[in-house]
């Protein structure tokens, strides 16, 4: 997975213009105002129909005034009492069954989840998150939509509303109480999930002595190659440099430059080294600093070394054996292990530590992506604009652009705001580059690519190409070191080196750097989008990420609870359930509905754009939106076939909304519901044009009207798909705080609207009717 | 309120009129179906006044509109026209409930709560402090005699016990106005007696009580004034003692009269063409009055002239 949406900082999202002249807050306020106006109007009409306009007007005024009073004078004690009742009711209605189901699922999940899959963390996390979401939303729905109707049916509401309880308190009490009950469940589920995932993924490997093999060069042992046994469906390899073994003492350096022994192993203690000793010389050579001392201490396993130590002012000698070293295994299934290799009785033994890096929260830092064409030209010759796209290789996922191998075509990412102190080990890049194969080659092998780091201010300063292999659907880690060389072998520094100010640096002083990716193999293509290559910042806390993911599930619970309480304030239980489910499903398909509505409303205009673009493409021209509009206008004036029916204002809107950018095949074909139904019963293909007559015209007109309604509905539908950040956690990406903030704010807005709406409905409903 | 409450109900006769607690003006209710079509006219232009400190009986056969009246007074229903005022405030206003206690027809309580929790919960709805709630719920549970079952969930309660906890719940806020819907239904004779005593005791504390019932004997025992509704119209309204007096019959019983005196009386009677049975105004039972009114209304539908 790649994180595709960019999240602006929370406050700027909330308060400043997002491009269409509105910030989130103004959008909310505007929508709320429109809804409020509509609701008041409907209420007035209904009341006027019943009692006549005069009384309707006065009762509306009284209702609004009373509403303000009811919100201002809510009593915390009453809200708490009602929430407490809802909480008790939730447990009386056996919501813990959901918890039992979840725990049973966890108990048996181990049978069905394959720990040897490509990314076990994703599998396990995805599973528990999906189950939690599903169960919790069902629970929230069941609880909140059936409660009020049941109270009204059983008339228990009589004893509530005849107390000085405000309707606002009843609605809020329900929302709070049910949310609290679900929260208890969710917290338990989260805890169980956390334990389950960590326990299920935790494993250690065993290495037997025979699996550590010395590798010789010129009859000298230069390294040991080890491999683990294979009990968890995968195997790790590790390499131990032969001269990396050290005696079992741990040193620390104080301000005066003294090296004090902190901890010792049993073997070192036996050789009379104790914590607190000060190391003064190694093999007779006086020690200078920690780094050099450690270099001096390292050597072949089993070899001896003479230490001079000072204890309480008195100096003594100790002969210790180089006994152990520490390395990491390679990364397999997204994790690695720490390996401690010991020299015991003339043989090497390896202890493998727990899996590391399996449960992470990566923090990607994105750059800006531009393309160069096969001549290396950054600009499009027809428009003289910087290329934002590569070439299309046909009907693949249109999100990525492609560059051809063995040409000058390149994808160029520009990163800014990089600071040297944040990347002491160099620049870590994560790349997941798609491959489109022009020739088959060996499918199980990756395609070779090259990566060059370039100084954007002075493009002549560029590193030697770093060769990597791109394979489908894998995330490659490319570490750009601090010291590089250019293609002539001259040294370069990534961030500039303070000790060598003359060394050219690749990152500009203001923290910008370019990364060029090219495909090396001819007739093969690399596909890339902006999010496919990023600088990996310092990892965030996995546990916090876990909490954030569950917090987002909690937000969904709040949303469902508020909506269900709203609907149950005027509907009977089953109908409220149905309406809530419908809302959730529609919420999940928001983007489809938007696409459908646009495709139906701008049907003629899209056809016109298509015709104009086709004509231009035949002459090898690319038309900007303005040019497209002008061309269509001319053709309409000339009364050309197919240009008579469209609406110019709508064409302008369609171009502004960039509907022409939506892939032709992604559009919804076959018209709105009526037309689609007509096509269904007359067995007409979705793509062919219908012969126009008055009936079809009426149908299309009605469809358009319906779709306009749908478009308005979209403004008040919660986009559930965007709420789900469980993918972030499962794929090991940090969920940005701004995202969580956005979702919390949106949830709050919906909950507030549901609360206010629910109040007004409930207040003006006859409980005994 | 508490001051004047101490005054006995005979104080009605005194010059100062007690405060009007409930007032309905031209109250009408039409039940409609989903499409807004008229289904039933449940109440037709009802004018009522309930004064402070009295026990007011609201009587009528099933479907006569007495429960509708009660629900409008409580704000559970909204009037189609006219208005209901409680303590001078509109019945739809929530704040009036501060001073009202309501015992519903069946006790619609949360069955999964026990008696203590129930009273505590309703106490919290009145915004009563924790300490006060504890004190009152203890008192009330004692008063209705449920101390032995206070920790059992209400679903295990018998009908009589449910009634009692229902009453306790209605009294949690020490209300000035009590609305009792069928207070004695489901109670055994002893329970009925206790309930009636309790109602009288509450009245003695100065509370205004509206009783809605078809247990006429009960109403007869406790009510000061009654209103009889039939098919949504007020058919009779007045003090129970005067309503039950048969005015066109005089009952005379005499003792210690000399034969001459008796002859004289007889002569007077004979002169007026009467025959003395006994000298008194006999009373009938409320049941008789009720049936008379119902029969009369069936014979001559429409508004009945009420003299008070």
């Amino acid at each position: 997975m790649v994180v595709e949406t960019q999240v602006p900082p929370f406050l700027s999202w909330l308060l400043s213009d997002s491009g269409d002249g509105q910030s989130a807050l103004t959008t909310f306020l505007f929508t709320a105002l429109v809804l409020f106006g509509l609701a008041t109007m409907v209420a007035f009409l209904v009341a006027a129909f019943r009692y006549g306009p005069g009384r309707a007007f006065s009762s509306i005024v009284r209702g609004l005034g009373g509403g303000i009073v009811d919100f201002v004078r809510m009593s915390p004690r009453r809200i708490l009492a009602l929430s407490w009742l809802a909480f008790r009711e939730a447990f009386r209605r056996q919501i813990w069954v959901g918890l039992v189901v979840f725990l049973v699922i966890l108990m048996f999940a181990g049978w069905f989840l394959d720990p040897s899959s490509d990314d076990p963390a994703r599998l396990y996390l995805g599973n528990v998150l999906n189950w939690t979401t599903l169960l919790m939303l069902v629970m929230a729905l069941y609880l909140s939509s059936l409660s009020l109707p049941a109270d009204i049916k059983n008339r228990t509401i009589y004893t509530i509303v005849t107390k000085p309880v405000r309707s606002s308190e009843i609605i809020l009490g329900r929302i709070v109480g049910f949310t609290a009950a679900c929260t208890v469940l969710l917290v338990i589920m989260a805890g169980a999930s956390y334990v389950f995932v960590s326990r299920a993924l935790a494993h250690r490997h065993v290495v037997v002595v025979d699996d550590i093999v010395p590798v010789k060069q010129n009859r000298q042992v230069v390294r040991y190659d080890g491999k683990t046994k294979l009990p968890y469906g995968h195997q790790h390899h590790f390499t131990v440099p032969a001269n990396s073994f050290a005696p079992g003492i741990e040193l620390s350096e104080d301000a005066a430059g003294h090296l004090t022994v902190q901890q010792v192993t049993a073997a070192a203690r036996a050789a009379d080294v104790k914590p607190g000793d000060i190391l003064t010389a190694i093999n007779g050579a006086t020690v200078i600093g920690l780094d050099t001392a450690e270099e001096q201490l390292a050597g072949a396993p089993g070899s001896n070394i003479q230490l001079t130590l000072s204890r309480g002012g008195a100096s003594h000698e100790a002969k210790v054996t180089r006994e152990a070293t520490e390395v990491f295994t390679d990364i397999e299934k997204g994790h690695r292990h720490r390996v401690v290799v010991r020299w015991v009785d003339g043989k090497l033994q390896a202890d493998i530590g727990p899996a590391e890096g399996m449960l992470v929260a990566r923090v990607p830092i994105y750059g800006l992506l531009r393309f160069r064409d096969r001549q290396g030209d950054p600009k499009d010759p027809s428009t003289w604009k910087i290329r934002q796209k590569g070439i299309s290789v046909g009907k693949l996922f249109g999100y990525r652009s492609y560059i051809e191998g063995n040409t000058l075509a390149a994808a160029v990412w520009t990163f800014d705001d990089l600071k040297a102190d944040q990347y002491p080990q160099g620049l870590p890049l994560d790349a997941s580059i798609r491959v489109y194969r022009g020739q088959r080659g060996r499918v199980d092998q990756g395609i070779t690519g090259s990566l060059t780091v370039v100084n954007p201010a002075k493009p002549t300063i560029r590193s030697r190409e770093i060769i990597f292999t791109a394979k489908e659907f894998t995330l490659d880690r490319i570490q750009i070191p601090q010291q590089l060389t250019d293609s002539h072998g001259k040294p370069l520094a990534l961030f500039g080196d303070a000790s060598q100010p003359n060394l050219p640096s690749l990152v500009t002083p203001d923290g910008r750097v370019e990364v060029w990716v090219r495909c090396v193999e001819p007739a093969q293509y690399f596909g890339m989008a902006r999010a496919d290559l990023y600088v990996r910042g310092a990892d965030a806390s996995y546990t916090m990420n876990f909490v954030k993911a569950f917090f987002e599930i909690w937000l969904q619970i709040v949303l469902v609870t508020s909506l269900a309480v709203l609907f149950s304030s005027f509907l009977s239980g089953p109908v409220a359930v149905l309406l809530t489910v419908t809302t959730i499903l529609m919420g999940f398909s928001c983007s489809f509905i938007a696409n459908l509505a646009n495709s139906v409303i701008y049907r003629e205009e899209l056809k016109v754009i298509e015709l104009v673009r086709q004509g231009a493409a035949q002459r090898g021209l690319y038309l900007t939106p303005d040019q497209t509009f002008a061309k269509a206008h001319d053709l309409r004036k000339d009364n050309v076939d197919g240009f008579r029916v469209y609406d110019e204002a709508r064409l302008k809107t369609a171009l502004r909304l960039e509907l022409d950018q939506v892939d032709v095949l992604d559009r919804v074909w076959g018209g709105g519901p009526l037309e689609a139904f007509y096509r269904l019963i007359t067995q007409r293909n979705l793509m062919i044009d219908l012969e126009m007559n008055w009936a079809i015209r009426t149908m299309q007109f009605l469809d358009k009207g319906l779709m306009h309604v749908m478009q308005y509905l979209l403004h008040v539908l919660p986009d559930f798909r965007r709420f789900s950040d469980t993918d972030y956690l499962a794929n090991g990406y940090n969920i940005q705080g701004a995202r969580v903030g956005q979702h919390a704010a949106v949830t709050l807005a919906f909950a507030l609207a549901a609360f206010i709406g629910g109040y007004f409905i409930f207040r003006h409903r006859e409980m005994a009717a | 309120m508490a001051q004047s409450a101490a005054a006995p109900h005979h104080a009605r006769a005194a010059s100062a009129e007690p405060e009007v607690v409930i007032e309905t003006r031209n109250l009408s209710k039409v039940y409609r179906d989903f499409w807004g079509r008229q289904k039933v006219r449940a109440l037709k232009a009802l004018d009522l006044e309930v004064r402070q400190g009295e026990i007011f009986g609201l009587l009528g056969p099933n479907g006569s509109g007495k429960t509708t009246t009660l629900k409008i007074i409580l704000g559970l229903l909204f009037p189609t026209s006219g208005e209901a005022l409680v303590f001078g405030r509109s019945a739809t206003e929530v704040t009036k409930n501060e001073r009202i206690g309501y015992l519903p027809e069946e006790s619609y309580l949360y069955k999964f709560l026990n008696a203590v929790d129930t009273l505590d919960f309703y106490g919290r709805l009145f915004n009563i402090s924790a300490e006060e709630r504890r004190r009152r719920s203890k008192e009330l549970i004692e008063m209705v005699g449920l101390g032995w079952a206070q920790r059992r969930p209400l679903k295990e309660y018998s009908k009589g016990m449910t009634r009692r906890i229902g009453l306790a719940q209605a009294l949690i806020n020490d209300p000035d106005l009590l609305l009792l819907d069928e207070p004695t239904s489901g109670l055994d004779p002893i329970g009925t007696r206790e309930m009636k005593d309790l109602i009288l005791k509450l009245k003695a504390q100065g509370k205004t009580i509206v009783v809605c019932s078809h247990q006429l004997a009960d109403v007869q025992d406790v009510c000061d004034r009654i209103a009889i509704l039939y098919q949504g119209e007020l058919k009779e309204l007045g003090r129970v003692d005067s309503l039950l007096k048969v005015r066109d019959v005089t009952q005379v019983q005499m003792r210690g009269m000399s034969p001459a005196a008796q002859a004289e009386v007889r002569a007077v009677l004979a002169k007026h063409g009467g025959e003395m049975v006994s000298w008194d105004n006999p009373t009938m039972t409320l049941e008789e009055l009720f049936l008379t009114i119902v029969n009369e209304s069936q014979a001559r539908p429409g508004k009945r002239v009420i003299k008070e």
Side-chain angles (χ1 to χ4, degrees):
Chain A
M1 172 200 148
V2 286
V3 181
E4 284 161 14
T5 43
Q6 296 288 302
V7 191
F10 178 69
L11 277 181
S12 74
W13 167 78
L14 189 66
L15 299 174
S16 57
D17 190 342
S18 61
D20 50 359
Q22 287 190 330
S23 69
L25 192 65
T26 53
T27 309
F28 168 69
L29 290 177
F30 180 72
T31 314
L33 204 69
V34 169
L35 276 182
F36 183 75
L38 272 179
T40 315
M41 213 164 73
V42 169
F44 178 77
L45 286 178
V46 169
F49 178 71
R50 285 261 165 97
Y51 311 113
R55 197 174 150 191
F57 183 75
S58 67
S59 59
I60 292 281
V61 170
R62 243 182 307 124
L64 291 180
I68 293 166
V69 173
D70 278 351
F71 283 113
V72 173
R73 309 200 56 183
M74 283 195 292
S75 135
R77 183 180 276 146
R78 281 198 284 265
I79 294 170
L80 259 176
L82 288 160
S83 321
W84 170 84
L85 184 80
F87 189 84
R88 293 267 316 240
E89 189 195 327
F91 283 92
R92 186 189 60 84
R93 295 199 5 221
Q94 287 150 6
I95 54 161
W96 47 264
V97 169
L99 191 62
V100 172
V101 170
F102 183 73
L103 294 177
V104 169
I105 289 171
L106 281 198
M107 277 161 67
F108 296 102
W111 292 359
F112 303 103
L113 299 178
D114 179 13
S116 64
S117 71
D118 268 350
D119 191 346
R122 183 172 62 201
L123 187 69
Y124 277 74
L125 280 172
N127 235 283
V128 292
L129 288 167
N130 287 339
W131 277 114
T132 310
T133 312
L134 180 73
L135 283 169
M136 286 314 303
L137 290 193
V138 169
M139 287 326 292
L141 175 72
Y142 159 77
L143 275 182
S144 1
S145 50
L146 295 180
S147 163
L148 264 181
D151 263 18
I152 292 170
K153 204 173 157 203
N154 302 334
R155 304 183 181 180
T156 36
I157 202 77
Y158 285 16
T159 47
I160 304 285
V161 293
T162 53
K163 305 280 182 282
V165 178
R166 297 174 192 276
S167 302
S168 46
E169 292 161 346
I170 295 178
I171 299 285
L172 189 61
R174 301 270 152 165
I175 296 177
V176 172
F178 291 136
T179 306
C182 288
T183 309
V184 170
L185 250 65
L186 185 70
V187 167
I188 299 175
M189 283 188 185
S193 300
Y194 191 85
V195 172
F196 170 73
V197 171
S198 346
R199 295 290 302 260
L201 296 182
H203 64 275
R204 282 165 195 256
H205 297 270
V206 178
V207 180
V208 298
V209 174
D210 293 347
D211 280 339
I212 305 177
V213 191
V215 178
K216 292 185 181 176
Q217 268 176 17
N218 304 329
R219 297 194 202 131
Q220 284 256 316
V221 177
V222 289
R223 64 170 202 267
Y224 299 89
D225 279 351
K227 61 176 191 277
T228 66
K229 289 284 173 204
L230 208 149
Y232 296 97
H234 65 275
Q235 189 172 34
H236 293 277
H237 295 267
F238 57 91
T239 306
V240 188
N243 282 324
S244 66
F245 286 81
I249 59 174
E250 194 188 308
L251 297 170
S252 73
E253 188 173 16
D254 62 13
H258 294 303
L259 298 181
T260 316
V261 176
Q262 296 291 323
Q263 283 179 349
V264 293
T265 58
R269 190 181 289 273
D272 198 21
V273 185
K274 286 182 184 164
D277 291 353
I278 293 168
L279 182 66
T280 51
I282 298 170
N283 281 344
T286 310
V287 296
I288 300 161
L290 190 61
D291 290 348
T292 42
E294 278 178 351
E295 266 172 42
Q296 285 169 304
L297 287 173
S303 57
N304 290 331
I305 185 168
Q306 189 84 19
L307 303 179
T308 312
L309 299 150
S310 136
R311 186 182 299 159
S315 183
H316 74 283
E317 299 282 312
K319 194 173 165 196
V320 292
T321 311
R322 294 188 171 103
E323 50 179 315
T325 187
E326 221 178 66
V327 291
F328 281 103
T329 66
D330 60 348
I331 295 174
E332 186 66 37
K333 308 270 182 223
H335 70 278
R336 61 182 188 177
H337 298 264
R338 187 181 290 271
V339 187
V340 177
V341 186
R342 285 202 183 79
W343 180 260
V344 182
D345 302 332
K347 281 192 170 144
L348 286 178
Q349 276 184 3
D351 288 333
I352 309 275
E356 287 177 21
M358 220 170 198
L359 300 170
V360 288
R362 284 182 278 253
V363 180
I365 295 159
Y366 295 108
L368 195 70
L369 176 61
R370 291 284 178 267
F371 287 92
R372 299 271 169 134
D373 71 4
R374 41 182 304 149
Q375 277 82 39
D377 201 331
K379 285 184 180 156
D380 191 313
S382 57
T383 60
W384 296 107
K385 283 192 172 167
I386 302 283
R387 276 177 195 279
Q388 306 212 9
K389 291 257 171 192
I391 55 170
S392 167
V393 290
K395 178 63 193 152
L396 283 173
F397 183 36
Y399 171 69
R400 291 193 168 76
S401 294
Y402 288 78
I403 53 170
E404 195 181 341
N406 201 24
T407 64
L408 290 174
V412 181
W413 274 272
T414 313
F415 297 99
D416 40 5
D417 256 359
L418 301 176
K419 292 186 183 69
D421 51 344
Q422 284 171 359
Y423 306 98
Q425 308 296 319
L427 213 53
L429 297 178
D430 273 355
S432 103
I433 285 166
R434 296 299 151 95
V435 177
Y436 174 77
R437 290 166 196 263
Q439 64 176 50
R440 180 142 36 106
R442 282 194 57 185
V443 176
D444 59 332
Q445 272 184 356
I447 301 290
T448 312
S450 74
L451 186 145
T452 318
V453 187
V454 181
N455 184 326
K458 247 187 267 170
T460 46
I461 306 177
R462 49 171 61 215
S463 75
R464 184 199 287 269
E465 289 168 331
I466 299 167
I467 300 297
F468 67 96
T469 309
K471 220 172 160 184
E472 302 278 24
F473 310 114
T474 54
L475 194 64
D476 299 309
R477 184 98 193 242
I478 302 162
Q479 181 85 22
I480 297 174
Q482 287 286 11
Q483 268 88 38
L484 297 100
T485 52
D486 67 6
S487 48
H488 306 294
K490 286 190 195 133
L492 294 170
L494 186 60
F495 280 104
D497 195 332
S499 57
Q500 292 163 277
N502 292 331
L503 210 61
S505 72
L506 290 165
V507 181
T508 60
D510 58 341
R512 285 185 305 131
V513 72
E514 277 182 6
V515 174
W516 292 48
V517 171
R518 287 202 170 100
C519 179
V520 173
E521 296 183 32
Q524 308 287 28
Y525 297 80
F526 274 176
M528 282 154 292
R530 184 176 177 210
D532 282 343
L533 189 137
Y534 56 82
V535 174
R536 190 164 159 187
D539 280 358
S541 149
Y542 160 73
T543 307
M544 264 318 290
N545 213 27
F546 191 88
V547 170
K548 280 190 254 180
F550 273 86
F551 177 69
E552 299 226 324
I553 297 179
W554 184 81
L555 289 178
Q556 292 184 47
I557 293 172
V558 173
L559 197 59
V560 169
T561 305
S562 331
L563 286 177
V565 169
L566 165 67
F567 294 145
S568 68
S569 69
F570 62 98
L571 294 171
S572 69
V575 184
V577 170
L578 264 180
L579 189 55
T580 317
V581 170
T582 312
T583 313
I584 296 173
L585 290 183
M586 278 179 75
F588 269 113
S589 41
C590 265
S591 55
F592 170 77
I593 294 172
N595 191 5
L596 169 69
N598 284 333
S599 302
V600 173
I601 292 170
Y602 300 105
R603 170 209 284 266
E604 285 81 18
E605 288 70 29
L606 285 169
K607 208 176 269 172
V608 163
I609 296 173
E610 204 69 22
L611 282 172
V612 172
R613 291 270 160 91
Q614 267 173 19
Q618 276 166 12
R619 271 168 289 146
L621 289 173
Y622 171 85
L623 295 182
T624 62
D626 287 342
Q627 290 168 329
T628 309
F629 182 81
K631 184 76 189 160
H633 183 79
D634 291 347
L635 288 167
R636 181 194 175 94
K637 239 179 11 202
D638 297 346
N639 218 353
V640 179
D641 218 22
F643 289 88
R644 292 189 205 108
V645 285
Y646 82 93
D647 182 296
E648 293 220 306
R650 276 220 297 265
L651 179 63
K652 209 163 230 165
T653 321
L655 287 166
R656 186 174 57 79
L657 294 174
E658 297 187 340
L659 293 183
D660 53 321
Q661 303 292 323
V662 179
D663 198 288
V664 177
L665 291 174
D666 289 340
R667 267 182 224 156
V668 181
W669 292 87
L674 290 176
E675 192 186 327
F677 183 68
Y678 174 76
R679 284 175 189 269
L680 193 72
I681 53 168
T682 54
Q683 302 189 334
R684 267 172 234 232
N685 187 307
L686 289 178
M687 309 284 280
I688 62 164
D689 290 329
L690 298 171
E691 64 281 12
M692 297 305 271
N693 56 37
W694 65 268
I696 307 274
R697 268 199 199 98
T698 315
M699 232 159 45
Q700 291 188 345
F701 179 75
L702 290 176
D703 273 345
K704 267 186 195 168
L706 260 173
M707 287 303 124
H708 277 294
V709 173
M710 292 304 275
Q711 270 195 329
Y712 287 119
L713 263 184
L714 278 176
H715 288 286
V716 291
L717 263 184
D719 190 345
F720 265 87
R721 201 178 286 281
R722 279 180 55 190
F723 266 85
S724 177
D725 281 345
T726 51
D727 281 357
Y728 278 68
L729 177 65
N731 287 287
Y733 284 95
N734 183 41
I735 304 169
Q736 298 109 297
R739 239 183 121 78
V740 180
Q742 247 187 46
H743 294 167
V746 172
T747 307
L748 187 72
F750 272 105
L752 198 66
F755 167 45
I756 295 173
Y759 158 75
F760 275 108
I761 293 168
F762 199 72
R763 175 76 182 86
H764 298 284
R765 176 178 178 181
E766 288 184 308
M767 284 311 134
Chain B
M1 201 73 205
Q3 298 285 308
S4 59
H9 68 276
H10 304 293
R12 269 188 49 107
S15 58
E17 279 274 291
E19 190 191 331
V20 176
V21 174
I22 298 176
E23 187 182 4
T24 71
R25 287 189 208 134
N26 203 19
L27 195 66
S28 301
K29 177 70 193 176
V30 177
Y31 286 115
R32 295 176 192 276
D33 66 2
F34 179 78
W35 306 106
R37 289 177 303 193
Q38 179 171 332
K39 246 170 35 187
V40 186
R41 281 176 70 87
L43 267 190
K44 298 168 196 162
L46 180 70
D47 290 309
L48 272 185
E49 265 186 19
V50 177
R51 289 171 188 284
Q52 203 222 310
E54 68 177 346
I55 303 182
F56 189 90
L58 206 51
L59 312 185
N62 292 331
S64 60
K66 58 185 189 323
T67 307
T68 302
T69 311
L70 204 61
K71 284 177 177 168
I72 291 176
I73 291 169
L74 282 163
L76 288 169
L77 288 175
F78 305 146
T80 309
S81 67
E83 61 178 341
L85 299 176
V86 184
F87 298 117
R89 270 178 269 183
S90 164
T92 51
E93 210 149 295
V94 177
T95 44
K96 72 169 195 315
N97 293 344
E98 304 265 3
R99 293 164 66 186
I100 295 183
Y102 167 54
L103 171 67
E105 196 173 343
E106 285 163 46
S107 297
Y108 305 121
L109 303 170
Y110 289 93
K111 303 252 183 278
F112 54 91
L113 299 179
N114 63 31
V116 177
D117 285 347
T118 302
L119 293 186
D120 189 67
F121 169 65
Y122 288 111
R124 288 207 269 172
L125 295 189
F126 280 103
N127 224 344
I128 301 171
S129 69
E131 196 184 328
E132 182 76 6
R133 285 203 303 270
R134 255 196 302 282
R135 191 179 62 73
R136 277 198 208 167
S137 65
K138 202 173 155 214
E139 254 174 44
L140 285 169
I141 286 172
E142 221 159 84
M143 188 184 92
V144 297
L146 283 174
W148 54 282
Q150 59 178 348
R151 292 288 170 191
R152 279 164 57 183
L154 299 195
K155 60 172 172 256
E156 295 173 11
Y157 275 26
S158 71
K159 183 136 195 228
M161 289 159 78
T162 318
R163 246 18 233 150
R164 287 155 193 264
I165 187 68
L167 184 68
Q169 142 319 108
L171 293 172
I172 189 76
N173 58 326
D174 192 18
D176 297 322
L177 169 64
L178 255 175
L179 300 165
L180 308 176
D181 200 352
E182 302 289 349
T184 55
S185 81
L187 294 180
D188 58 16
I190 301 170
T192 307
R193 185 69 256 159
E194 283 173 359
M195 177 66 86
K196 285 195 273 191
D197 290 346
L198 193 66
I199 292 173
L200 290 170
K201 201 172 109 192
L202 290 167
K203 176 198 150 99
Q205 287 170 13
K207 299 190 193 308
T208 313
I209 298 161
V210 175
V211 180
C212 199
S213 180
H214 5 245
Q215 306 281 333
L216 299 170
D218 303 345
V219 176
Q220 188 175 359
D221 286 354
V222 297
C223 289
D224 297 320
R225 288 200 311 145
I226 53 169
I228 298 180
L229 294 176
Y230 184 74
Q231 290 186 340
E233 286 179 324
L234 185 63
K235 295 294 183 184
E236 190 63 87
L237 177 74
R239 297 195 56 76
V240 174
D241 40 13
S242 63
L243 277 180
L244 296 183
K245 239 168 213 144
V246 186
R247 288 175 200 279
D248 55 352
V249 177
T250 310
Q251 234 172 16
V252 182
Q253 273 183 336
M254 290 174 289
R255 174 179 296 170
M257 295 273 278
S258 68
Q262 283 186 20
E264 205 170 318
V265 172
R266 276 178 218 282
V268 173
L269 283 172
K271 188 173 134 198
H272 291 281
E275 178 201 354
M276 186 185 71
V277 187
S278 79
W279 195 304
D280 194 2
N281 287 116
T283 55
M284 55 179 170
T285 61
L286 186 53
E287 190 175 342
E288 284 168 313
L289 173 70
F290 187 75
L291 290 176
T292 315
I293 288 172
V294 169
N295 289 334
E296 211 175 290
S297 302
Q298 275 165 351
R300 281 181 288 126
K303 217 164 174 113
R304 193 164 174 268
V305 183
I306 298 162
K307 56 225 174 273
E308 192 177 3

